[in-house]
Amino acid sequence: VPIEYNWTGSLNNPNLVINSSALKNKYDSYWEKVRIEKEIAEKARLKDLQERMSLAQEKVSSISEFLESKILPRYKKYSQLSSNVTTRGKYKSINIIAQDMKMQLEDLQQRAKKDFGDEDITVTNAKTEVFESQLDGLVRELDETYITDIKNLSNDIYKNIDNTFSSSYTPVGLTLQ
């Protein structure tokens, strides 16, 4: 132990002087080293969290962009052209799913703007995986509904033309009364 002892004064009145500054310096340097190591570890943890959240937010942005550029415009275009009640209902249910997804994506984007932790990143990644798996299905369902709607519209037009033709056609030699 680096403690120095000195005697001062006369032999009749000796004073013991203890110098423990080396021990105090050793103690202080140890705790300063521990503090610096904790600071470095915390900075590394925060940097890792920030990088992971950044990757998760890239996924959120990608899904949001896909939703805004592919699904919602198709919904608007297709639903405006729809004349069938059944297909309008399907379009409406697809829109509800897409709008719910959009709201959840906005919520996930807000998580990155506040203090976040591992749990927030885990939730963001889990939801983006679910949404990514649903996107192709939504596009496929929109397109299938649109095709069905076009087929129904074509059949209705054909039936109208056929009915008009049938009602106006009279065979030669027959008279209408």
Side-chain angles (χ1 to χ4, degrees), residues 48-121:
D48 178 58
L49 275 177
Q50 189 64 40
E51 288 172 357
R52 289 178 29 226
M53 182 57 95
S54 179
L55 290 173
Q57 287 301 311
E58 285 176 15
K59 286 182 185 177
V60 169
S61 295
S62 171
I63 293 170
S64 196
E65 182 180 319
F66 186 85
L67 193 64
E68 292 289 335
S69 66
K70 302 282 186 203
I71 294 175
L72 293 177
R74 283 184 187 188
Y75 161 75
K76 288 176 185 172
K77 178 183 174 186
Y78 295 169
S79 64
Q80 288 175 352
L81 300 174
S82 180
S83 60
N84 188 317
V85 175
T86 307
T87 54
R88 278 192 209 146
K90 286 183 182 179
Y91 286 135
K92 190 173 184 177
S93 68
I94 292 169
N95 185 44
I96 289 170
I97 293 169
Q99 292 300 328
D100 181 55
M101 191 182 292
K102 183 178 174 183
M103 286 178 23
Q104 289 186 44
L105 288 169
E106 288 170 359
D107 179 55
L108 293 176
Q109 287 174 333
Q110 292 302 315
R111 284 179 187 248
K113 294 179 181 175
K114 61 176 184 140
D115 289 338
F116 54 85
D118 287 324
E119 183 179 322
D120 294 315
I121 295 170

Side-chain angles (χ1 to χ4, degrees), residues 32-45:
E32 180 67 17
K33 179 181 168 188
V34 167
R35 184 189 65 77
I36 290 172
E37 287 173 356
K38 282 183 180 179
E39 225 174 71
I40 290 171
E42 181 64 14
K43 284 181 183 178
R45 185 186 75 80

